[in-house]
Amino acid sequence: EPEVTQTPSHQVTQMGQEVILRCVPISNHLYFYWYRQILGQKVEFLVSFYNNEISEKSEIFDDQFSVERPDGSNFTLKIRSTKLEDSAMYFCASSEGSGGSKNIQYFGAGTRLSVL
Amino acid sequence: GEDVEQSLFLSVREGDSSVINCTYTDSSSTYLYWYKQEPGAGLQLLTYIFSNMDMKQDQRLTVLLNKKDKHLSLRIADTQTGDSAIYFCAEMHPGGYQKVTFGTGTKLQVIP
């Protein structure tokens, strides 16, 4: 069964460093998302991406964050200068498209980001 | 704004039924989902229901939707120890970009 894959599973970085979290969405999917879950808290929407541009972003997704689809398969989340409060589990998701069950979002296993 | 609430904890005995409840505020939600998260793992889609349905059954899982009260429930029949996990209720909003709003999650503990 097709799945969303994320790498690495755990990323440790120093405060102020840049990190790139990588995702390979399901191959025929057109919509891509990033969510994050701070330990013990809700899963929060960060950004959605369609047709090579951001469709919607939350208040969390400030200028320190960016997303990119550098090629036909990868979808990345970059944090330019990490802060301690960026420590969280980051989930990538993808969906096939609009309408009916095509809206269902499938999630990857997540990347745990630890900022020291 | 959108908000999804769940009770934080549920404990049941193995073999009993579990019922996890959820309330949401956005009456325009189109889809409502249940995701399962095992310790240290990702979000596994369990089931979903479209907003014009009242009930959906999938093997041991039954989803009930009361749209008037904005109440969603997940019933797990014959609960097993492998069902121990956090269960997230989530809603999707209409419009082109399909943001999903998650609830707080209910931790289900199954006692052998």
Side-chain angles (χ1 to χ4, degrees), chain B residues 8-67:
Chain B
L8 291 179
F9 190 74
L10 176 66
S11 181
V12 299
R13 293 210 171 272
E14 190 174 18
D16 288 350
S17 292
S18 309
V19 179
I20 302 171
N21 294 300
C22 169
T23 57
Y24 60 97
T25 57
D26 188 350
S27 57
S28 62
S29 296
T30 53
Y31 278 92
L32 295 129
Y33 304 93
W34 286 102
Y35 286 89
K36 176 183 179 183
Q37 184 180 38
E38 297 185 40
L43 297 164
Q44 175 196 353
L45 177 68
L46 275 183
T47 188
Y48 64 93
I49 188 167
F50 190 51
S51 58
N52 67 354
M53 296 168 66
D54 297 324
M55 186 183 91
K56 181 178 179 182
Q57 186 150 4
D58 184 2
Q59 298 181 346
R60 291 192 297 123
L61 305 177
T62 304
V63 179
L64 295 177
L65 175 61
N66 181 329
K67 200 171 178 185

Side-chain angles (χ1 to χ4, degrees), chain A residues 20 33 41 52 63 77 83 89 108 112:
Chain A
I20 296 176
Y33 313 84
Q41 297 187 23
N52 280 319
D63 292 344
L77 174 69
K83 302 188 280 288
M89 181 76 95
R112 180 166 297 285

Side-chain angles (χ1 to χ4, degrees), chain A residues 31 33 35 37 42-43 45 48 55-56 91 95 97-98 100-101 103-109, chain B residues 3-5 31 33 35 37 40-43 45 48 88 92 96-100 102-104:
Chain A
Y31 292 79
Y33 313 84
Y35 293 78
Q37 184 184 29
K42 283 189 182 188
V43 177
F45 168 80
S48 60
S55 318
E56 187 175 358
F91 292 107
S95 63
S98 292
S101 60
N103 287 335
I104 295 171
Q105 294 183 23
Y106 293 90
F107 285 76
Chain B
D3 197 18
V4 181
E5 295 293 335
Y31 278 92
Y33 304 93
Y35 286 89
Q37 184 180 38
L43 297 164
L45 177 68
Y48 64 93
F88 289 94
M92 194 180 73
Y97 309 120
Q98 309 163 25
K99 182 179 83 169
V100 172
F102 284 82
T104 47

Side-chain angles (χ1 to χ4, degrees), chain A residues 36-63:
Chain A
R36 80 170 184 192
Q37 184 184 29
I38 294 172
L39 188 63
Q41 297 187 23
K42 283 189 182 188
V43 177
E44 302 170 290
F45 168 80
L46 291 178
V47 65
S48 60
F49 190 87
Y50 169 70
N51 200 25
N52 280 319
E53 60 183 28
I54 291 174
S55 318
E56 187 175 358
K57 59 184 181 179
S58 70
E59 291 174 356
I60 304 166
F61 194 88
D62 61 22
D63 292 344

